[in-house]
Amino acid sequence: MKVPNIIVQLVHIDGPYKGRIDEFTDEVITIGRDPKCHLAFPKDMNIISRRHAEIRREGNRFKIIDFSTNGTFIRGEVIEEAYLKNGDVIVFSEEGPKVSFLTMVKEAKVESEETLDRPAEEPVAAPAPERPVPPPPRVPKEPPVVVSFTVQYGPSIHTFKQASIKIGSDQRCDFILQEPGIAAFHVEVFYQNGHYWIKDLSGEARALLNDRPLINPTVLRYGDLITLVRGGTVFEYMGDGKLSQKVPAVQQPPVQTPQPAQVPPAQPLYQSLHIILDNVYNTSHL
């Protein structure tokens, strides 16, 4: 008699474990940042909840249940729970890690009563032991990337040790900015795949990136200018997650050059001699 043994494969197609394949035979597969989870994502990946989701086996079917804050997406739609099909792509949090769900059936043999009643077969001489193969050299793991954001606004500097920050006027934002035209949730700056990104949260593309409306999530480059509202505050991206308020230059009034004093033109020499002779003549006849 044969009993089906279903192996669940999660193929990482995007995220910190891209290219890795995890296999599970458990009835319940837990997923999250908690190190005790079967699939444990890095602790500093804050877009993933500590207990994000579970995959539960129900007979020969598998159901995924979401427990997260940022949501779980199947076939592009956020779900609370759903039955999985082979090839389904699961996204843990919007713009988060992506895995492909696959199953593989492995038949496990179970001895029947007839097999137990058979006489024991004569032992067969064991083959000569093979020469042991040395294990492959251990490759040191790369240290986890420490993500941080720094925002300089006026005389204040704000530092955040997390994978994303939200900027807006709502008190739930990481960086609160009370200025005219700022939406409750205005923009989000986040770290993903080795780059810092920015995306619009207002739904109206109020923010400008280098004087162009911010419509799609965009990788930030050194020197990019982020205008939160046209005519409002402008931040300059200084690299490595640093935003600095750009203060407009104060225009100095033009310096006036003093004009030289007007000097009356000199009289011709013959006119000066004529005046002197007239004075001498008048004096001698007095």
Side-chain angles (χ1 to χ4, degrees), residues 160-175:
F160 305 90
K161 298 288 186 180
Q162 55 199 61
S164 69
I165 60 170
K166 292 181 175 64
I167 300 174
S169 60
D170 194 279
Q171 296 297 319
R172 292 170 292 177
C173 289
D174 302 292
F175 182 71

Side-chain angles (χ1 to χ4, degrees), residues 128-286:
E130 296 181 358
R131 187 175 182 180
V133 179
R138 296 182 61 183
V139 179
K141 294 183 179 180
E142 295 183 358
V145 177
V146 179
V147 180
S148 66
F149 293 90
T150 303
V151 180
Q152 178 266 318
Y153 180 71
S156 303
I157 297 178
H158 306 264
T159 303
F160 305 90
K161 298 288 186 180
Q162 55 199 61
S164 69
I165 60 170
K166 292 181 175 64
I167 300 174
S169 60
D170 194 279
Q171 296 297 319
R172 292 170 292 177
C173 289
D174 302 292
F175 182 71
I176 302 170
L177 196 59
Q178 300 287 353
E179 289 187 2
I182 299 295
F185 293 90
H186 202 79
V187 296
E188 180 182 7
V189 185
F190 60 95
Y191 180 87
Q192 185 177 359
N193 298 333
H195 298 283
Y196 288 88
W197 298 66
I198 185 170
K199 72 174 181 179
D200 174 73
L201 298 179
S202 68
E204 302 173 0
R206 298 188 192 180
L208 306 176
L209 182 62
N210 299 325
D211 292 329
R212 294 183 178 180
L214 179 62
I215 299 175
N216 299 315
T218 306
V219 174
L220 285 171
R221 308 293 183 188
Y222 183 87
D224 280 348
L225 296 180
I226 304 165
T227 307
L228 296 181
V229 178
R230 190 176 294 276
T233 298
V234 179
F235 289 98
E236 183 175 1
Y237 182 64
M238 309 303 292
D240 296 329
K242 298 181 179 66
L243 299 178
S244 178
Q245 184 185 12
K246 189 173 180 63
V247 180
V250 178
Q251 293 185 353
Q252 299 292 338
V255 179
Q256 296 183 354
T257 305
Q259 298 294 328
Q262 296 291 333
V263 179
Q267 295 181 350
L269 179 59
Y270 71 89
Q271 290 183 359
S272 299
L273 292 173
H274 185 270
I275 293 172
I276 294 171
L277 292 174
D278 285 346
N279 290 335
V280 172
Y281 176 81
N282 293 331
T283 303
S284 64
H285 286 78
L286 290 177

